[in-house]
Amino acid sequence: MARLALLSVSDKTGLVDFARSLVAEFGFDLISSGGTAQALKDAGLPVTKVADYTGSPEILGGRVKTLHPRIHGGILARRDVPQDVADLENNQIRPIDLVVVNLYPFESTIAQPDVTLPDAIEQIDIGGPAMLRAAAKNYAHLTVLCDPALYEAYLEELRQHDGNASLEFRQECAIKAFSHTSGYDQAIAFYLRGQGSEVRDQSLSQQYTLEGTQLQVLRYGENPHQEAAWYQSGAVASGWAAAKKLQGKELSYNNLVDLEAARRIIAEFTDTPAATIIKHTNPCGVALGNSLVEAYAKAFNADSTSAFGGIVALNQSIDAATATELTKTFLECVVAPGCEAEAQEILAAKSKLRILILPQLSAGPKETVKVIAGGFLVQAADDVVADTNKWQVVTQKQPTPEQFAELLFAWKVCKHVKSNAIVVTRDRTTAGVGAGQMNRVGSVQIALEQAGKKANGGFLASDGFFPFDDSVKTAAAAGISAIVQPGGSMRDQDSINAANDLGLVMVFTGIRHFLH
């Protein structure tokens, strides 16, 4: 008896050619449901509709098609168990040798801006996951294919093994099927949680699943001895997976990590031309300007030594003037929401420079995940928008509107510097950055030393409170005119008194931004 293949797919890429090979080369009989059967019939291939094979019509508007003993019995039967073989014979069920299924496009459906909940519900596949899981469970006796990319590999298996796929291949395909259904279910659960009234609280549920599809094997990880790969979450590309690379070498692990750090900073600035330059996830220069080229030049000059080999993020489309400046030094990557044609021609002179276009620079993840031994930590993203109406001026000296705006700029940058974080700014430009030190005094000293003369009349932001007044006194001695910090220390009054005695402005934000 000819072998039997069940084909029921939403994504029909390569389906007809694959089915033709199954029939012509290997003598398979085909059974299919719905649109798959019609596609095969239109291509002139012999196919039996599932409804004709089972004797049961599709019902409930197509919700029930393949949920039938003749389907699942044929998939789940163990060929080496006599009772299973007898059950097939007694119920006139043919064993199924190949199951080719991919699922309703749930994730691409919910990615549409106008999708309704009923629309999404109808794209939750039931029969497909049931067949995939059944076939994957019984991989010892049949093959399951959930991805068109596997079609040619399966045909090669048959060609190389006398018409039979190897056990190793069948097992790998089963793993892919289980991974596919797992990710599918996770996408549904995440979407339905988002339909509730308390989305933020519901998102951190009792179970949390990480699922991704490999986009690229990276050359290595943080270091050459570490293997690494890049995975896309969800079936619909978003974030960096959706970015367009105009030119340059392949992205590395460290490139992607730094690009994300750059994206998070530049997302803080939407109304004014802004530029940031990142090294090892910390900003070495951030600036606002009247034009994009001015913002970039200010960011670069903030620390031109560290900017060498940096990652640049811009909040506006790259124009010719900015492109010319970008080509004047060695940079690893540049990301912007767009790039003008003339600018692209200029940048082409630096063929190894990676230029990425990411229109939705401000769209980031709502949660962050860190792996630890035996598990992982999940937290809501630190995407709270600074609310200056809740800020408190705690000193006798009051800030001018101009000073207040500069403090807001310094605070936004400081949020994205590794703790303990201190940022010194002037003229909406970073002058000194103290990052990742074991004590806050050390970070203050590094930032002030880097700022040099620019600290005189400058502004200082701290991501956490000052436990003592020593940092305030050190800042004042360097010429700092105003400080913004969360407040909340038991010795806040000591810092306030020191600021008053030294003629500084100090503002408490009431919120901290540690970054570990």
Side-chain angles (χ1 to χ4, degrees):
M1 181 182 295
R3 285 175 293 180
L4 186 61
L6 168 61
L7 293 78
S8 180
V9 296
S10 176
D11 179 0
K12 295 178 177 57
T13 303
L15 173 71
V16 170
D17 288 341
F18 177 61
R20 186 172 286 117
S21 293
L22 292 177
V23 173
E25 287 190 59
F26 303 104
F28 274 87
D29 288 341
L30 308 179
I31 56 174
S32 295
S33 61
T36 305
Q38 190 61 51
L40 296 176
K41 182 179 178 181
D42 291 344
L45 289 166
V47 59
T48 300
K49 290 186 177 180
V50 165
D52 295 332
Y53 176 73
T54 61
S56 298
E58 294 184 10
I59 61 173
L60 307 181
R63 282 190 166 196
V64 178
K65 296 189 285 279
T66 57
L67 299 172
H68 192 280
R70 292 202 77 191
I71 298 297
H72 286 274
I75 294 174
L76 286 164
R78 294 159 292 186
R79 318 296 168 80
D80 56 355
V81 176
Q83 186 58 56
D84 284 11
V85 174
D87 285 342
L88 292 183
E89 293 176 352
N90 292 337
N91 291 279
Q92 298 182 323
I93 298 174
R94 289 180 62 181
I96 295 174
D97 296 277
L98 174 65
V99 172
V100 182
V101 172
N102 54 61
L103 307 177
Y104 293 170
F106 179 81
E107 288 176 283
S108 59
T109 298
I110 62 174
Q112 299 171 12
D114 57 347
V115 66
T116 65
L117 180 58
D119 290 339
I121 292 295
E122 287 309 310
Q123 291 302 317
I124 297 176
D125 204 328
I126 302 301
M131 289 187 290
L132 284 177
R133 289 177 57 82
K137 175 178 179 175
N138 204 29
Y139 74 86
H141 300 281
L142 75 159
T143 306
V144 56
L145 304 178
C146 63
D147 185 344
L150 295 169
Y151 294 169
E152 187 57 36
Y154 176 71
L155 294 174
E156 282 301 311
E157 279 283 314
L158 298 186
R159 291 166 185 147
Q160 293 176 15
H161 298 95
D162 297 324
N164 296 295
S166 65
L167 180 61
E168 292 78 12
F169 180 81
R170 298 199 303 272
Q171 185 177 27
E172 284 300 316
C173 290
I175 292 169
K176 290 180 184 294
F178 280 125
S179 296
H180 186 47
T181 57
S182 173
Y184 192 77
D185 287 342
Q186 174 65 17
I188 295 168
F190 188 83
Y191 171 78
L192 291 178
R193 283 193 209 109
Q195 304 308 301
S197 59
E198 299 177 359
V199 176
R200 187 183 182 92
D201 292 338
Q202 292 178 19
S203 66
L204 301 180
S205 60
Q206 291 297 310
Q207 292 186 328
Y208 193 97
T209 303
L210 293 176
E211 183 71 25
T213 302
Q214 189 179 101
L215 284 182
Q216 181 183 337
V217 175
L218 302 172
R219 185 178 177 190
Y220 52 78
E222 287 180 300
N223 300 289
H225 61 274
Q226 294 173 267
E227 293 183 356
W230 177 11
Y231 292 84
Q232 171 187 316
S233 57
V236 180
S238 62
W240 295 109
K244 180 181 180 181
K245 183 159 72 74
L246 298 183
Q247 66 175 57
K249 299 182 294 183
E250 292 293 335
L251 293 168
S252 71
Y253 179 97
N254 289 334
N255 289 158
L256 288 161
V257 172
D258 283 337
L259 280 166
E260 177 60 13
R263 186 202 62 77
R264 289 176 180 174
I265 293 181
I266 210 67
E268 296 281 354
F269 307 104
T270 57
D271 299 329
T272 303
T276 183
I277 306 174
I278 294 289
K279 287 293 286 291
H280 306 296
T281 73
N282 281 307
C284 55
V286 183
L288 305 183
N290 293 317
S291 64
L292 192 64
V293 66
E294 181 187 6
Y296 170 71
K298 289 169 66 177
F300 179 81
N301 291 327
D303 186 355
S304 58
T305 301
S306 297
F308 184 83
I311 305 288
V312 176
L314 308 166
N315 70 344
Q316 295 183 356
S317 291
I318 306 171
D319 54 22
T322 307
T324 300
E325 290 300 312
L326 290 168
T327 61
K328 291 181 178 180
T329 191
F330 169 64
L331 299 169
E332 287 280 355
C333 306
V334 177
V335 62
C339 184
E340 297 175 5
E342 186 179 357
Q344 192 169 342
E345 291 180 6
I346 295 169
L347 292 167
K350 292 275 190 176
S351 60
K352 294 183 179 180
L353 173 61
R354 305 163 178 91
I355 305 294
L356 293 103
I357 302 304
L358 185 62
Q360 300 298 323
L361 274 170
S362 61
K366 294 300 181 184
E367 295 159 348
T368 63
V369 180
K370 285 185 181 291
V371 177
I372 60 174
F376 53 90
L377 308 174
V378 180
Q379 67 172 350
D382 187 10
D383 55 5
V384 61
V385 177
D387 185 356
T388 55
N389 291 321
K390 296 181 179 179
W391 288 14
Q392 180 184 8
V393 180
V394 295
T395 49
Q396 296 168 359
K397 191 171 184 179
Q398 300 290 304
T400 66
E402 179 68 17
Q403 289 176 319
F404 202 79
E406 186 75 33
L407 287 172
L408 176 59
F409 170 77
W411 180 247
K412 286 183 175 182
V413 176
C414 194
K415 172 182 175 181
H416 300 281
V417 177
K418 292 287 186 180
S419 298
N420 288 309
I422 298 292
V423 171
V424 174
T425 74
R426 282 190 64 174
D427 187 27
R428 309 298 195 280
T429 306
T430 54
V433 178
Q437 299 306 300
M438 287 64 72
N439 64 75
R440 198 158 296 278
V441 175
S443 290
V444 170
Q445 292 171 340
I446 290 172
L448 292 173
E449 181 180 351
Q450 188 182 59
K453 294 180 180 180
K454 294 179 181 178
N456 188 22
F459 298 75
L460 184 147
S462 173
D463 67 340
F465 61 64
F466 293 125
F468 303 99
D469 63 6
D470 48 1
S471 291
V472 176
K473 293 177 179 178
T474 301
I480 292 296
S481 61
I483 294 174
V484 59
Q485 58 135 320
S489 169
M490 294 178 61
R491 296 183 176 86
D492 271 347
Q493 194 58 50
D494 292 347
S495 293
I496 294 170
N497 291 340
N500 283 329
D501 292 343
L502 296 166
L504 272 66
V505 170
M506 182 144 43
V507 176
F508 285 0
T509 65
I511 186 172
R512 78 176 191 196
H513 287 298
F514 281 177
L515 179 61
H516 288 85

